[in-house]
Amino acid sequence: MTKKLFVGNLSFQTSEQDLNDLFAQVGKVDSVSIITDRMTGRSKGFGFVEMDNEAAENAITKFNGADLDGRKLTVNEARPLVKKEFGGGGGGGGGGGRDSHGGGRGGGGGRRDRY
């Protein structure tokens, strides 16, 4: 059975081959992917490595906090992706009607001359 590992705090210069070579020190690597920005193609500074369970546990122990390309790596078991709801923007307040904010237009009449 394979386990997917999250690898964070990567240098933008770190390649998938660099990660593969590093993690191959503790076992057979099934796959490596560094996540990149869709618009620029630049690394987002994290990626994923898949390897068998025992090798993955050894990799977490050996490489979490280890230095690669001048950066201290974060290595742990990847958590499932949680879909985020987009659109609709914030809200969260009560009511939503015009009068729910204390009077709508003209509330507090006549106070403007005090400024």
Side-chain angles (χ1 to χ4, degrees), residues 10-19 34 43 68-69 71 73:
L10 294 172
S11 163
F12 295 136
Q13 284 71 44
T14 301
S15 69
E16 290 181 352
Q17 187 62 51
D18 294 334
L19 273 186
I34 292 178
S43 167
L68 178 65
D69 296 330
R71 308 284 303 252
L73 296 179

Side-chain angles (χ1 to χ4, degrees), residues 96-105:
R98 184 165 143 177
D99 292 331
S100 66
H101 294 288
R105 289 182 179 219

Side-chain angles (χ1 to χ4, degrees), residues 21-102:
D21 294 346
L22 180 70
F23 281 78
Q25 294 175 24
V26 294
K28 181 181 175 294
V29 175
D30 293 329
S31 70
V32 175
S33 63
I34 292 178
I35 307 306
T36 56
D37 182 271
R38 275 184 245 170
M39 300 296 281
T40 66
R42 191 173 109 171
S43 167
K44 288 191 169 190
F46 70 94
F48 298 94
V49 175
E50 283 187 270
M51 50 196 332
D52 73 66
N53 284 345
E54 187 177 336
E57 292 301 324
N58 290 338
I60 292 170
T61 301
K62 183 170 183 174
F63 300 130
N64 189 38
D67 187 83
L68 178 65
D69 296 330
R71 308 284 303 252
K72 287 199 180 295
L73 296 179
T74 298
V75 181
N76 53 43
E77 188 172 348
R79 294 187 291 264
L81 179 66
V82 176
K83 286 282 187 191
K84 295 179 181 173
E85 292 292 327
F86 290 103
R98 184 165 143 177
D99 292 331
S100 66
H101 294 288

